[in-house]
Amino acid sequence: MKAAVLTNYDKNGRKLEIREVEKPSPRENEVLVKIFTAAVNPLDNMIIRGEVKLIVPYSLPLIMGNEFAGQVEAVGSAVKRFKAGDRVYGRMPLSKIGAFAEYAAVEEGALAPIPDYLSYDEAATVPLTALTAMQAFEIMQPKAGESVFISGGTGSLGAMAIPIAKSLGLTVYTNGSGDNAERVEKLGVDRFIDYKKENYADVLKDVDYVLDTLGDRELPNEFKVLKEGGSLVSLRGLPNGRFAKRAGLSLLKQLLFSFAGRKYDKMAEAKGQSYDFLFVHEDGAQLEKIGELFSPERPLETSVDTAFSLEEVNEALDKVKQGKSKGKTILKILEG
């Protein structure tokens, strides 16, 4: 089969090689998936640059790709939830990525059925953002009646996180460009703040939770609007000791990440708040809950910017690196 392979890490980025490799055979708990579409994400470029080696030390050469949709080709002897012909999607297991290929053997627990109303192209854009939102709220453990500020919530993450937050009974605040106000209000936002007219840090206070999508430059303001004892979960800050412990990393890595994230821990400690970094992991059960939460009448919001072939993977990675996409960049790998 054909696959896009990383041969060496390179902090300046590196071209992937299209190679003919052996088609995998599923182990007893794995599903062989014929991949029709894979999504390309900033995470893929981060892996190429070696920026996640401390979190996940991949061996090279490495078949790249984290997010996909396809059809079950065969199942291992212990697999119970899926059969040949099923439409499935998922985030590849952290320990074994490889979505930029014609086939992948994937642990059963990483997969979920694709909702009937989604095409393969649409479905491939869902897992990372959906699981990110689910796992952020899993860390927060919010209660109905509490509030959350989702920073920069007008993108694909907000399209997942806002409805999930509302399903949990939360009051939701977000900010962004005013031309997105009507769309996110339809998703359930209680207060939209147009960043060109108002600074959220001057408008909000004593919010129970913050979901940070903006990183270092905004974290001081996000802690400012967070109540005393509140919880902030960041997708863009640095990993800290709490993250390393939660991820089950070695004691050495716990010490290293405690040092790396101490700046944010100190910000949180000033008002008895907590800071958690999130690196999303595979979870088919959570992804299946997403499919149940969004019905055909109120479907998952998906958006495809540009489609490339597997052979054009490096052009796709370059496009994502530029950060100007208005939706997900995808690879159409096999016809479904």
Side-chain angles (χ1 to χ4, degrees):
M1 69 172 187
K2 290 182 181 178
V5 178
L6 175 67
T7 56
N8 289 286
Y9 292 118
D10 187 331
K11 65 180 180 181
N12 297 314
R14 185 178 188 85
K15 300 295 185 185
L16 302 184
E17 295 181 10
I18 302 299
R19 291 184 174 182
E20 286 286 340
V21 300
E22 187 176 351
K23 180 178 173 181
S25 297
R27 298 172 183 170
E28 63 177 9
N29 66 335
E30 289 183 331
V31 173
L32 180 64
V33 180
K34 184 178 184 179
I35 297 179
F36 294 137
T37 310
V40 184
N41 293 278
L43 174 60
D44 300 306
N45 282 314
M46 291 170 65
I47 292 171
I48 290 169
R49 293 192 298 265
E51 294 172 6
V52 303
K53 283 192 292 186
L54 276 177
I55 299 174
V56 190
Y58 293 115
S59 298
L60 301 178
L62 173 70
I63 299 175
M64 288 291 299
N66 287 276
E67 185 178 33
F68 67 94
Q71 186 179 72
V72 175
E73 181 89 351
V75 299
S77 60
V79 171
K80 304 296 183 186
R81 294 171 52 234
F82 301 102
K83 64 183 184 305
D86 286 348
R87 297 187 340 133
V88 294
Y89 65 158
R91 188 254 192 272
M92 292 293 295
L94 288 180
S95 61
K96 188 184 176 186
I97 63 171
F100 296 169
E102 293 177 327
Y103 294 87
V106 187
E107 288 180 15
E108 179 183 23
L111 297 170
I114 296 175
D116 292 339
Y117 60 84
L118 291 181
S119 68
Y120 287 111
D121 290 357
E122 291 167 335
T125 72
V126 170
L128 274 175
T129 48
L131 290 173
T132 297
M134 290 289 281
Q135 290 168 23
F137 289 118
E138 184 178 50
I139 292 170
M140 293 174 186
Q141 292 290 301
K143 300 180 180 65
E146 293 182 321
S147 58
V148 62
F149 172 56
I150 301 169
S151 65
T154 58
S156 58
L157 177 69
M160 300 290 178
I162 292 165
I164 293 171
K166 294 307 296 180
S167 76
L168 297 170
L170 300 178
T171 299
V172 182
Y173 310 111
T174 195
N175 67 329
S177 175
D179 54 6
N180 290 298
E182 183 178 355
R183 181 176 61 83
V184 295
E185 284 167 355
K186 284 182 179 177
L187 292 172
V189 163
D190 296 280
R191 172 72 191 275
F192 177 80
I193 301 160
D194 184 341
Y195 76 89
K196 294 180 181 178
K197 297 178 180 178
E198 296 179 292
N199 186 335
Y200 69 88
D202 298 327
V203 174
L204 302 177
K205 65 176 183 178
D206 293 332
V207 176
D208 292 290
Y209 306 96
V210 171
L211 177 52
D212 162 57
T213 69
L214 302 175
D216 190 71
R217 63 186 172 87
E218 285 299 322
L219 278 163
N221 277 333
E222 290 170 352
F223 279 115
K224 179 183 173 184
V225 305
L226 188 63
K227 75 173 185 180
E228 187 170 342
S231 169
L232 184 148
V233 175
S234 176
L235 313 179
R236 296 290 298 276
L238 288 171
N240 62 347
R242 286 167 62 94
F243 160 76
K245 188 173 183 180
R246 194 175 67 246
L249 301 182
S250 68
L251 287 175
L252 176 59
K253 289 185 178 181
Q254 289 182 38
L255 286 171
L256 288 171
F257 285 130
S258 293
F259 180 78
R262 64 180 180 175
K263 171 183 174 181
Y264 305 132
D265 288 334
K266 285 184 177 180
M267 286 186 195
E269 287 166 5
K271 288 171 39 181
Q273 299 159 339
S274 62
Y275 167 82
D276 286 282
F277 174 79
L278 175 61
F279 190 81
V280 65
H281 60 82
E282 73 278 6
D283 193 319
Q286 284 185 336
L287 195 54
E288 192 160 358
K289 286 180 184 176
I290 289 284
E292 294 166 359
L293 180 61
F294 292 85
S295 65
E297 293 75 32
R298 192 180 179 184
L300 282 157
E301 185 174 301
T302 64
S303 176
V304 174
D305 182 295
T306 309
F308 293 87
S309 67
L310 179 61
E311 288 75 9
E312 296 170 321
V313 63
N314 292 305
E315 288 93 327
L317 287 162
D318 285 342
K319 180 172 179 56
V320 170
K321 191 186 302 180
Q322 292 167 16
K324 296 179 180 178
S325 300
K326 295 182 178 179
K328 280 286 182 81
T329 296
I330 61 170
L331 300 179
K332 293 178 73 69
I333 296 178
L334 290 171
E335 289 299 319

